[in-house]
Amino acid sequence: MTAELVRGQNHPLPGTRLEIRVSVGKPIVAGATLGDEQGKVHGVERVAHPGSPTLPGIEVSKQAAADHRLAVDLGALPDAVHRVSVLLALPVGVGGPVSFSALAAPFVAVTGLDGGEIASYTITDLDAESAVVALELYRRQGAWKVRAVGQGYAGGLAEMLTDQGLPGARELAGTINEAVAQGLARSVAAPPPRPADDTRVRTAPQGRTAAQSGQTAQPSGQTPPQGSHPGPTGQDQGGPAPTPPPAAAPPQQPADGDAATGGPVNYTHPGRQTTAPPTPPPTAPPAQPGQAAQPVAGDATGWSMDERLYNQVWGMFEDLARTMAAYRSAVDFADSRLEQELDKVLSDPRSRIGGTCDAVRDTVRARHTDLVGQARATLDRDLAQLVAEAAVVEPALPPAFAAWSSPVWHAYRAPMEIPMALRLGDLHLPERIDLRIPMLVRLPLERGLWIDSGKALTNTFTDSAELRRLAVDTAVTHAARLLAAYPAGEFTVHVIDAAGSAAGALAPLVTSGVLAEPPASGAAGVSAVLAKLTQRVDLVQMAVRGGAADALPPDLDTAEQLLIVNDFPHGFDDRAVTQLRYLADEGPAVGVHLMMVADREDAAEYGPLLDPLWRALLRLTPVPDDHLADPWVGHTWTYEPPSVPAGSRILGQVLDQVATARRNGGR
């Protein structure tokens, strides 16, 4: 029976291997400190936080998220540690809430590895505090207990760490905040929550969690919380992203009863209500005994086929993330157990006599091999099911979701309405690189895009000039997809190419006639375009705030606007840089979006002045790169940019169709 604690109350812990679950509703930072008998923390090496998430016996989330799962092994803690404090804090400098008074009361639960709750605590009466010590696990006379603390600090992380006696508390707090800000800037956003009547249930592949698959997990990082997630995409936009369960990026958490039963993925979703949508989605034919159900494209809830496919893609992302998290957790546990058992053997002098030691070591290693083999077998089975599902979903995707190699583009016609999402590329994990999940982001875009042409990518791509060309090519393919996704005349593209260095790569946009005007060059051209778009943002903001949208000038272009900027900061003076930052911050809310093609090092002279600009944009790359973080389960996903098949003319054909539809009034 769960003990519902109040502030100051304690409760004995029945075991040493635990999970601490935190749910708040908005992204927060979770961490832990390891203290002595008086609770003093003696150094930064005793603090687990997103920048350093793993310590002996404790592992915390690598990212700010609305839900966290902290893995704890009290038996693996150093002997000098007598107190583990669980810390919660609000991210700083990311535009979120500044105090817990703006959030729902945080809920914290201590569970066993089977998922059963041992104790829970709802932290109430928080006001101006921006950091709080939620719980502490403490050792008393050889036994561990949990105590509900709920001590808040208006001074944030720095004040809280100082109160625990940590030397250099303020410096560490700054390091944590910077790590969180950088993580949020490169993670992928989850989609909006599903409506309350959406009962879609994707039975998890076996191995999604250790408890569901019969595997025992060691501290292995965060598993997906409740909500929606491809991504890696929450906070920021991105994936099936790049949005934090949860969902890639970004759904409701599967029903425990379905997941706990194990077995193959059940694509028929027997718990789903099929009466809500006007037409039920397709369902798979019943599986033969002993066989998995055959996947069907659109086998998810939604009011249209596009919405069902969108939800299905996000479900595939979740399944892949969770089954991979379970596999990695099982391997980590097997490695940890092997190390502990070998240490135990070597620490006993009696076992080193004769052949006893060798025999024991062989037994231990055989056990390790068996555990890893079982985990891999489960993973392979789940991956095979997801590969089969991807094989039927990919050909069924509409143009906005489809790869450029899809035949659907050959029958392209300008749409009559805006699709719910857009494909920005693919995501995959190293264990199965051929299983790629479309990275879908919701429309309209909630943040700009940054195509990184920087030197950081030259570790695998040595020609920097070719990399810059590929970056512009990538920007052109993204712009073409955006133009194709919107109805004729409802999306306008502007280009700033101050030095004229991208004339060749921009040719498809120029020759097709889809640009609002020729690419702007020189300082005067940069200034004119920025002034025009800045004025548009100002006018629309004033009209919206004043409730006078019909008072906008008749010559104002009300279509969504995209500004592609190449070779920043070439041609930009201080005023132009300020205007660009303004567009990045205020533009998306009124339909003005940025797409930067730039190397951050080229703008290094501006120092930290431009840090908010880079954080406001979703970073993409022109070559495959593992830079997208998944805040739910801690994976780093490899992003694969979209590419047009070699020798294909499909990009030009689609742009010609867009231009023709504009001239013909949408036909």
Side-chain angles (χ1 to χ4, degrees), residues 329-421:
S329 174
V331 172
D332 287 345
F333 167 66
D335 292 343
S336 175
R337 179 173 176 176
L338 173 65
E339 183 178 349
Q340 292 177 9
E341 292 183 339
L342 288 176
D343 288 344
K344 184 177 180 181
V345 170
L346 296 175
S347 65
D348 186 357
R350 293 171 298 178
S351 66
R352 288 181 248 171
I353 301 174
T356 304
C357 183
D358 292 338
V360 172
R361 277 189 295 197
D362 290 343
T363 301
V364 169
R365 286 171 178 154
R367 187 181 300 121
H368 171 269
T369 301
D370 183 58
L371 288 174
V372 173
Q374 291 179 32
R376 185 71 208 195
T378 300
L379 175 67
D380 289 342
R381 181 182 62 242
D382 296 338
L383 291 180
Q385 294 167 5
L386 288 170
V387 167
E389 186 173 14
V392 298
V393 169
E394 185 69 45
L397 295 177
F401 301 177
W404 285 109
S405 58
S406 172
V408 72
W409 285 109
H410 294 281
Y412 169 78
R413 292 294 182 271
M416 300 302 294
E417 59 183 21
I418 301 172
M420 66 184 303

Side-chain angles (χ1 to χ4, degrees), residues 518-539:
S521 60
V526 171
S527 177
V529 172
L530 291 176
K532 177 181 178 179
L533 293 177
T534 301
Q535 182 185 45
R536 183 191 185 281
V537 171
D538 290 339
L539 289 174

